[in-house]
Amino acid sequence: MKTKIIQNTILSVCTLFAACACDYLDVVPDNVATIDYAFKNRVSAEKYLYGCYSYRPKVGDIQADPAMTGSDETAQRYVILESGTRFVIYGGARITRGEQNANSPLMSTWDGNRSLWVGIRDCNIFLENIDGVQDLMPYMRRRWVAEVKFLKAYYHYYLMKQYGPIPILDVNQPVSAGVKEVQVYREPIEDVVDYIVRLLDEATADLPDAQDIVEGTEAGRVHKLVAMTLKAEVLLFAASPLFNGNTDYSGVKDNQGRQLFPQTYDPDKWKIAADACLEAINACHEQGLRLYNQIDPLLMNENERIKLQTNYRQAVCDRWNSELIWGATNNDCGILARDASTRIVRMNPTTLSGVTSEWSPTLNLVNKYYSSNGVPIEEDKEWQTNNWYPNRYVIRPEPSEGEEEIYYVKEGEKTVYLHYNREPRFYASIAFDKGIYFGAGYNTFKDVKHCEFMNTQVSGFQAGEANSISGYGAKKMSHYKNTQQNDRTTWEYFPFPVFRLADLYLMYAEALNEADGSAGEVFGYPDMIRQRAGLEGIADSWTKYSINPGKINTKDGRRDIIHRERTIELALEGKRFWDIRRWKEIDVYNEDPQGWNIMGDVPEDFYTVLSLRRESARFTVKDYFWPIRDADLFVNKNLVQNYGW
């Protein structure tokens, strides 16, 4: 009977979800290993364990992760061809263009080749059979079971983020299961959250500490801090407006009449989330994690501004650093580096693929960064008094000069007011016309390069080549030791941060504020992040520099500040895509993404604000979740479609 479980379970999943089971069966060879063989000894069982890991969504993969190209932070280029305009796009960007559909959902994890249900099925097979492995030490068995329970929880959670209420696949259906048994229901959100949290608690008890992970052979495997941080994020989502009293989805009920979204707002969920965040933070501190603050010895003689910017970039790009909680090891950071880097040297045609700059930050994101005073530019007294804000898109008459400017804008060059007097994270993250680009093989200020984004210039549009569509490039996701030369490029490897400590700090601040924490408590950890970025604390900055100093004294005002802090600190890390959804702020997609006129040959033409949207798309409450494929609903009548699809 065991030898048939694999195929029969796949068929059960196929019947249930109308997944790509037929394609899956087609690629299974005739000599496929049986369950007995897979768990005959420790070595083969360990291979099965790694197989369970293989279903992890490719977080941070610019081509496979919808969050990397699906928010309002970036836009993708287009190329003018003889036949007209052709867009070079990623799946996430197609979602922002309104191309999501129920017939063939984009970037689906419900079915198809990337189905997480298949991953959950394999996790269940592992848990059902691991006790039969005779040469496995008890402590190792406990750890492996904990890892697979974590993965099972993680896969359910990722499906929940995409689809909302989902079925709970706690055990695989038996071979003898009838049609009615496999036609399961989507479970209410609160039940799904409780199930995921229970699995994570069980996993945490037997997972190793972070310092017990062997980097050389176990990098990327989960430990206690990963499970605790994921639990905190799950509970944060459960407390957020999308899942907590969301009356927009009052009509989403199954054919038993069950309400799948809780209709009553429960403020206690924020307290539960805050407690989980603080527990994870304390555990991180106990195990030696801290905000990254490390200066490479190669930079010891550089200006403090350069050190500050590079330190922030390296908080992401310095592999396995003190801030990283969980790094993704299943994506190609070279593709991200290629598309996220800004071209700063002329390259031979054979090396053009080395730097594409297609992952283009938008003007919308640029405006989000603070002033040098650490407050929004639209609130900054100095920006208002000097008329910098209303003239932010105007070229400043005075060229760059003095230490306060030449470390940001090339000496003697001019750019718009928007690019002056900004916070260090802006200069560390965003490449702009005439802006300094430290790194890429030019790692001393005396030979540093700068960006030139106007038409035909080195960083700008060049016919037939990859380019930024917005007139901006990214610095943040590029290791400062990456190199660009006219005939070659090199990329430094780093695991993309699924979780890092700054993210956890900001989750705690948000939950604590919603749970009625005081300003001093709420701003404690965000102030540590700001200090690392070279800024004063929130209360001091708003009191001294904001036209709205009272903002820090109200929950609504603090909420706005914390949301802005997350947007800035975690920019370009795939977090905003999900934050937009859980905060129920989908309307931001109805604001046209903007950039400069990249076809402009002179500053007066280049610095013209243009819309980057090429199709009209209207986003509504239906767009918070993926649609379930229509064919799946036809197979399983107990599944109900998401609202609006």
Side-chain angles (χ1 to χ4, degrees):
M1 181 68 70
K2 280 189 176 182
T3 59
K4 296 182 179 179
I5 288 179
I6 290 180
Q7 289 184 331
N8 280 288
T9 305
I10 294 171
L11 290 173
S12 297
V13 175
C14 175
T15 305
L16 172 58
F17 302 116
C20 189
C22 295
D23 292 340
Y24 184 90
L25 290 172
D26 286 343
V27 301
V28 175
D30 293 335
N31 62 343
V32 64
T34 64
I35 294 295
D36 290 331
Y37 182 83
F39 293 94
K40 71 174 184 176
N41 56 36
R42 180 186 60 80
V43 173
S44 57
E46 188 172 28
K47 291 179 181 178
Y48 204 99
L49 168 66
Y50 295 150
C52 292
Y53 269 98
S54 70
Y55 296 97
R56 286 169 299 156
K58 293 186 175 182
V59 175
D61 188 305
I62 201 167
Q63 296 178 334
D65 183 356
M68 293 300 287
T69 55
S71 76
D72 59 344
E73 294 178 309
T74 63
Q76 278 63 58
R77 74 180 179 98
Y78 64 98
V79 179
I80 306 297
L81 302 178
E82 291 182 2
S83 58
T85 300
R86 177 174 67 87
F87 286 87
V88 180
I89 56 173
Y90 304 100
R94 292 184 62 191
I95 292 174
T96 67
R97 292 169 59 193
E99 294 183 20
Q100 187 61 281
N101 66 95
N103 181 55
S104 181
L106 300 170
M107 308 192 84
S108 169
T109 58
W110 187 284
D111 49 21
N113 294 330
R114 300 168 61 194
S115 173
L116 290 180
W117 297 115
V118 179
I120 293 170
R121 176 212 66 191
D122 281 1
C123 289
N124 285 335
I125 290 174
F126 181 93
L127 295 173
E128 291 164 2
N129 290 275
I130 191 62
D131 285 343
V133 180
Q134 298 301 314
D135 61 340
L136 188 60
M137 297 295 290
Y139 78 90
M140 190 174 290
R141 179 181 285 107
R142 289 193 297 271
R143 176 186 174 180
W144 289 7
V145 167
E147 288 180 86
V148 173
K149 283 185 177 181
F150 169 88
L151 292 170
K152 190 173 163 182
Y154 181 48
Y155 298 155
H156 276 91
Y157 169 58
Y158 199 92
L159 285 161
M160 186 190 88
K161 287 201 298 183
Q162 285 192 311
Y163 297 96
I166 57 170
I168 294 174
L169 202 63
D170 188 42
V171 295
N172 289 337
Q173 295 287 350
V175 175
S176 59
V179 174
K180 288 186 178 180
E181 291 176 275
V182 299
Q183 289 185 338
V184 299
Y185 288 87
R186 302 174 71 181
E187 300 299 328
I189 280 295
E190 290 176 319
D191 291 347
V192 176
V193 170
D194 289 345
Y195 173 73
I196 293 170
V197 168
R198 176 174 64 79
L199 276 180
L200 291 173
D201 284 341
E202 292 174 4
T204 301
D206 290 319
L207 285 171
D209 289 338
Q211 58 262 37
D212 294 332
I213 297 293
V214 181
E215 181 181 322
T217 58
E218 298 181 333
R221 289 178 67 173
V222 297
H223 47 75
K224 288 183 186 294
L225 301 183
V226 178
M228 296 176 76
T229 304
L230 180 61
K231 175 183 174 180
E233 185 177 272
V234 171
L235 291 170
L236 187 78
F237 266 76
S240 297
L242 185 61
F243 292 121
N244 191 0
N246 186 353
T247 56
D248 288 335
Y249 291 158
S250 60
V252 182
K253 301 177 181 179
D254 62 21
N255 58 20
Q256 302 174 101
R258 291 187 305 169
Q259 192 87 53
L260 298 184
F261 287 86
Q263 294 301 290
T264 303
Y265 173 73
D266 183 358
D268 288 341
K269 290 181 179 180
W270 287 109
K271 177 63 167 59
I272 294 170
D275 289 345
C277 289
L278 184 58
E279 184 180 11
I281 288 171
N282 289 337
C284 286
H285 292 169
E286 289 169 4
Q287 295 193 33
L289 268 67
R290 61 191 184 280
L291 290 181
Y292 182 88
N293 194 5
Q294 182 175 325
I295 302 301
D296 191 302
L298 295 174
L299 305 179
M300 294 306 295
N301 295 324
E302 292 299 328
N303 181 273
E304 291 302 316
R305 295 166 181 81
I306 296 296
K307 292 179 183 177
L308 191 63
Q309 294 178 46
T310 308
N311 182 64
Y312 174 65
R313 284 170 64 180
Q314 293 301 95
V316 172
C317 297
D318 189 1
R319 57 184 172 187
W320 310 115
N321 66 64
S322 64
E323 186 168 336
L324 185 66
I325 298 174
W326 191 25
T329 56
N330 61 336
N331 58 35
D332 187 346
C333 71
I335 295 176
L336 176 61
R338 179 197 71 190
D339 292 356
S341 294
T342 301
R343 187 167 53 243
I344 57 173
V345 296
R346 296 280 182 182
M347 295 183 176
N348 293 334
T350 57
T351 59
L352 289 178
S353 61
V355 178
T356 69
S357 307
E358 292 174 308
W359 195 52
S360 315
T362 60
L363 197 54
N364 312 55
L365 175 61
V366 168
N367 276 295
K368 291 289 187 182
Y369 285 93
Y370 292 141
S371 70
S372 56
N373 293 321
V375 298
I377 55 177
E378 66 271 19
E379 291 185 30
D380 190 294
K381 294 177 182 177
E382 189 178 14
W383 276 64
Q384 295 294 340
T385 301
N386 293 315
N387 288 322
W388 295 340
Y389 184 72
N391 291 311
R392 63 192 183 281
Y393 301 148
V394 175
I395 301 170
R396 197 183 76 166
E398 300 83 17
S400 170
E401 62 180 2
E403 280 202 0
E404 292 302 315
E405 295 180 348
I406 64 171
Y407 287 97
Y408 309 126
V409 180
K410 186 181 180 183
E411 187 173 11
E413 295 284 2
K414 298 178 182 180
T415 185
V416 291
Y417 282 100
L418 184 67
H419 299 157
Y420 292 98
N421 301 297
R422 304 300 298 273
E423 62 154 306
R425 286 176 296 187
F426 166 72
Y427 295 110
S429 303
I430 305 297
F432 57 89
D433 186 54
K434 304 303 182 290
I436 297 299
Y437 196 105
F438 186 83
Y442 305 91
N443 298 339
T444 60
F445 191 73
K446 65 181 179 62
D447 61 2
V448 74
K449 298 288 185 180
H450 69 283
C451 305
E452 296 181 322
F453 277 99
M454 284 187 278
N455 186 24
T456 73
Q457 292 185 335
V458 62
S459 312
F461 177 82
Q462 297 173 36
E465 298 181 15
N467 64 273
S468 165
I469 189 178
S470 66
Y472 285 108
K475 294 182 185 177
K476 182 177 181 180
M477 306 311 295
S478 297
H479 196 292
Y480 92 97
K481 290 183 180 178
N482 290 348
T483 65
Q484 294 183 33
Q485 297 179 17
N486 67 341
D487 59 347
R488 63 184 180 274
T489 57
T490 64
W491 314 121
E492 292 284 327
Y493 168 78
F494 66 91
F496 189 91
V498 182
F499 298 127
R500 63 183 178 99
L501 194 57
D503 182 12
L504 184 55
Y505 282 176
L506 290 167
M507 285 196 284
Y508 177 57
E510 180 182 347
L512 192 61
N513 180 61
E514 300 297 341
D516 295 323
S518 68
E521 295 173 312
V522 169
F523 294 149
Y525 285 116
D527 280 354
M528 293 172 63
I529 295 171
R530 288 168 62 94
Q531 182 182 23
R532 191 257 301 275
L535 298 173
E536 295 182 63
I538 292 172
D540 286 343
S541 293
W542 256 262
T543 300
K544 294 178 184 177
Y545 307 115
S546 175
I547 60 175
N548 188 13
K551 201 173 188 178
I552 60 176
N553 299 320
T554 68
K555 179 190 285 190
D556 289 347
R558 292 192 294 269
R559 179 188 302 125
D560 184 64
I561 292 170
I562 293 166
H563 285 194
R564 187 78 164 245
E565 290 284 343
R566 279 190 65 84
T567 298
I568 294 170
E569 174 64 24
L570 304 173
L572 305 176
E573 295 182 42
K575 298 294 182 178
R576 182 161 169 79
F577 177 88
W578 299 111
D579 284 344
I580 287 171
R581 284 156 174 76
R582 68 181 181 84
W583 292 335
K584 289 187 67 177
E585 295 181 356
I586 202 72
D587 282 346
V588 301
Y589 283 108
N590 294 319
E591 302 172 10
D592 281 355
Q594 294 181 325
W596 303 118
N597 173 25
I598 61 172
M599 304 307 293
D601 300 302
V602 295
E604 291 73 19
D605 291 336
F606 175 82
Y607 288 114
T608 301
V609 177
L610 298 179
S611 170
L612 305 180
R613 195 186 297 278
R614 291 300 190 269
E615 291 88 10
S616 59
R618 184 71 186 171
F619 289 82
T620 67
V621 293
K622 80 179 179 68
D623 295 293
Y624 288 117
F625 293 110
W626 265 249
I628 298 174
R629 192 164 63 117
D630 287 337
D632 296 357
L633 303 177
F634 177 78
V635 172
N636 183 357
K637 304 299 183 183
N638 291 335
L639 293 178
V640 59
Q641 181 61 282
N642 275 329
Y643 175 85
W645 295 102

